[in-house]
Amino acid sequence: MLLDRPSRRNPPPSGRQLLILLGGFVTLVTLLIWGLISLFTNILVWLIPPKLEAQLGSVLIKEFEAKAEAGSIQNKLNELQDRLEVKQSAKERRDLKVIYLPSETVNAFAIPGDRIIIFRGLLDKVGSENELMMILGHEIGHFTNRDHLRGIARSLSFQIILSLLFGDSSGLQSVGSLAAAVSQSRFSQNQELAADRVGLDLLVKTYGHGGGATDFFDRLAQDRSASALAFLSTHPHPVDRVKKLRQIMKERGYSIEPVVPLPPVLKGGK
């Protein structure tokens, strides 16, 4: 009688093959969960009322306000931001406030609770009031399109997925880590372009022309400093943004005229 022997044509899977299969399964499940969360998030952000958003952002606001520098710079930034916001329709206005951080980081971003975070490092890269207003208008655009809520929802979702897969919920308990995730969040090119459109329209409504709309991005494209490269790691390439902005200005007939100098109080951290 012949003894049963393992078929050489179909040998049992090795440990390495099992690990590959397991890794593929975990990846597939993760992508499925992420896709469902992203779909749910895109619907949910439009259903969150401003009062609930303010409550969600209150903890984050405290985290950034603890590092903020109140004074003439922050006051001037809020004054400029107010000039932009009054150009919006009554339905879109949110009573936004700017929080100024005296850090060399080159960045600006929107967080839930109607706050725009601006760093000293970004002000050092700005050459005119118009450039700064374009940046502020861009952040207002993220509020208009509720991208700021999508950003924090993605950060939370990623931490939740890691917690479910590996049983580690420490990331969900750290406000500091969440604040860092929000500050480093990256939007899609479509989201950034939509925010640029809002910023450009507000710039033109404020000054009557589009001068300064692309100057910051033109300069950043030539900047090879570490701070500039860090900014580029979380934003679309400035050359692409300049090209699209110029195309929009041409289509809408926006003229380019001399810009207004940056207010002295915003220069050099003084």
Side-chain angles (χ1 to χ4, degrees), residues 197-227:
R197 288 178 183 273
V198 174
L200 177 60
D201 287 341
L202 290 175
L203 181 72
V204 173
K205 288 178 181 179
T206 302
Y207 296 97
H209 62 88
T214 63
D215 292 353
F216 175 76
F217 305 117
D218 273 324
R219 193 179 304 108
L220 201 63
Q222 308 300 322
D223 195 335
R224 293 295 178 267
S225 65
S227 58

Side-chain angles (χ1 to χ4, degrees), residues 65-242:
E65 284 184 335
K67 304 173 184 177
E69 182 180 289
S72 57
I73 295 178
Q74 183 165 277
N75 292 340
K76 174 56 71 172
L77 290 171
N78 277 288
E79 178 187 318
L80 294 175
Q81 191 283 138
D82 289 343
R83 285 175 56 193
L84 282 176
E85 196 173 5
V86 297
K87 300 298 181 181
Q88 289 187 295
S89 66
K91 182 180 179 180
E92 294 175 324
R93 293 177 198 166
R94 301 172 59 97
D95 191 26
L96 302 173
K97 300 296 180 185
V98 177
I99 295 177
Y100 167 68
L101 300 183
S103 163
E104 295 305 312
T105 301
V106 179
N107 207 357
F109 52 88
I111 65 171
D114 295 346
R115 295 296 186 273
I116 296 173
I117 310 299
I118 289 188
F119 293 86
R120 172 76 254 164
L122 183 135
L123 292 182
D124 289 340
K125 301 290 185 182
V126 171
S128 71
E129 181 178 289
N130 302 61
E131 289 180 46
L132 179 56
M133 293 291 255
M134 177 65 193
I135 295 169
L136 287 169
H138 173 90
E139 299 307 326
I140 291 175
H142 281 312
F143 281 109
T144 300
N145 300 321
R146 314 221 89 183
D147 295 329
H148 62 302
L149 288 177
R150 289 186 177 89
I152 192 172
R154 280 197 297 268
S155 298
L156 285 172
S157 299
F158 183 69
Q159 292 180 17
I160 289 172
I161 290 174
L162 290 179
S163 176
L164 291 174
L165 290 177
F166 303 107
D168 181 9
S169 61
S170 59
L172 296 174
Q173 300 169 5
S174 173
V175 177
S177 63
L178 179 57
V182 171
S183 65
Q184 297 169 9
S185 62
R186 181 169 186 161
F187 298 119
S188 70
Q189 289 194 6
N190 288 336
Q191 288 173 317
E192 294 285 16
L193 178 58
D196 278 346
R197 288 178 183 273
V198 174
L200 177 60
D201 287 341
L202 290 175
L203 181 72
V204 173
K205 288 178 181 179
T206 302
Y207 296 97
H209 62 88
T214 63
D215 292 353
F216 175 76
F217 305 117
D218 273 324
R219 193 179 304 108
L220 201 63
Q222 308 300 322
D223 195 335
R224 293 295 178 267
S225 65
S227 58
L229 293 176
F231 178 88
L232 295 178
S233 69
T234 56
H235 292 78
H237 198 281
V239 172
D240 296 331
R241 298 178 76 169
V242 168

